[in-house]
Amino acid sequence: MTAFHVSLVGRKDLSGEIYRQIRHAVLDRRLRPGDPLPPGRELARTLAVSRATVTVAYERLAAEGFVTSRQGSGTFVSELATLAGREKTGRRSAGALQPRPIWVAMNPPPTFETVQFDFRSGLCDASLFPHNSWRRSVAWALRSGETTAGVYEHPAGHRDLRVAIARHIGISRGIRASADDIIVTNGTQQALDVLARVLLAPGDAIAVEDPSYGPPRRLFEALGIRVVGVPVDRQGLVVDALPRGVRAVYVTPSHQYPLSVTMTLPRRQALLAWAERNNAAIIEDDYDSEFRFGGRPLEPLQTLDAKGLVVYVGSFSKTMLPTLRLGFLMTPPSLRAALHKAKFVSDWHSSTLAQAALGRFIDEGEFARHVRRVGAIYRERHQVLADAISRDFAEHLELIPSTTGLHLTALARRMSVDRIAEIARRAADRGVAVQILSRFAVSATPRAGVMLGYGAIPTAHIEEGMHLLRACFDSEPQ
């Protein structure tokens, strides 16, 4: 039996109100064809009206074709009612409430439709996810009294997961941290959101790499923060180009997004010195640094920071699954209390079940084994893709050397931004998805080039996909 709300408070025509509210529920499809209505006697008792009042309403609905009665079965929404309702209801008024202009101008988030040859960045291979071992961790978490106690978690997150994360980044990145330094978030984007709320006021300026990843920029702008693009060269962010008055800088030094370069040690030291002189914060997004395929790893900015100016941000979206929606930030002690409050007012805390399962997954060594296994597969894809670009695209593209992450970037040698965009559209028509570098520009002149991810495409499909892409480069402009 379908339960629905009917309000008679302050109404005079009680039978008419029951009729109108049920009718509207049918037209709005809150009540669907075949849904049963409560027996007249029961609805009359619930609404504290006479049975005759309900009967009159039901008879009127039946006469107009909105409901049908079946002897011995009850009263049901008519199969024909919503067909007529679509014509009668029409479009709703746009309403007087309007969003702030920034939400009108902002582009919608990207969609990730399935394509045959998927070279888009930001994606991992879901087929490599260790479902069996993860299922065991989730089952353990469900049996845990902490996840079924029915109480709210501390805003910083599940204690066991924070301990596990602190130990993990200590081993994998050489970062000295305790569980008290860790705050669990719903991915990197929420980490940046709570940081921006704590560190910056509307009208303050934050510097971002130019080109850079779009969602953080849009987040900062939505909070009323002024975003300033700072150029990136082969050594990383150009520190000398940082303008005065900037309160914070957001960087991806381990694997710059989208150019793939790694910030050199002198640049890291220069950035830390700049932050100390200007009493500014550095937000270090250690983007997909888990996957490194050569060269000596450089220390994160956080490990070089002696003044407590760096906030370290990480995520499990690439190493596990984006759908898990778990990330973290490591905060200096001076920001800890404020960040706990910001996380609390944002959503109180992330899912306790997922946190408990991930903490167990890390503690049991399953996470490290998973990263080693998929890292070997991504290493092979990285090499196959790099070889294909260097061999087959040398006259068109200059590959930017990179030994980290899940994408490669190549600059166009002689082609314009528009020509590269045309090639990408033509490739999409052939089932090959690539991203153009120009869409990541902040304020500088957009660069012509392409980004090629290898997280989501099987190794065996890379050569065929690149062959199709090469044909798009060779075809005549339309």
Side-chain angles (χ1 to χ4, degrees), residues 85-124:
R86 291 173 190 169
E87 300 177 2
K88 294 179 180 180
T89 53
R91 298 185 65 180
R92 292 192 176 189
S93 169
L97 296 178
Q98 296 296 320
R100 290 167 49 212
I102 188 172
W103 297 109
V104 177
M106 191 175 293
N107 294 324
T111 55
F112 293 102
E113 300 89 355
T114 301
V115 295
Q116 186 175 5
F117 302 99
D118 198 341
F119 289 104
R120 289 171 296 187
S121 66
L123 300 176
C124 61

Side-chain angles (χ1 to χ4, degrees), residues 197-214:
R197 293 175 188 276
V198 167
L199 290 170
L200 302 166
D204 285 346
I206 185 169
V208 302
E209 297 161 322
D210 192 357
S212 68
Y213 186 47

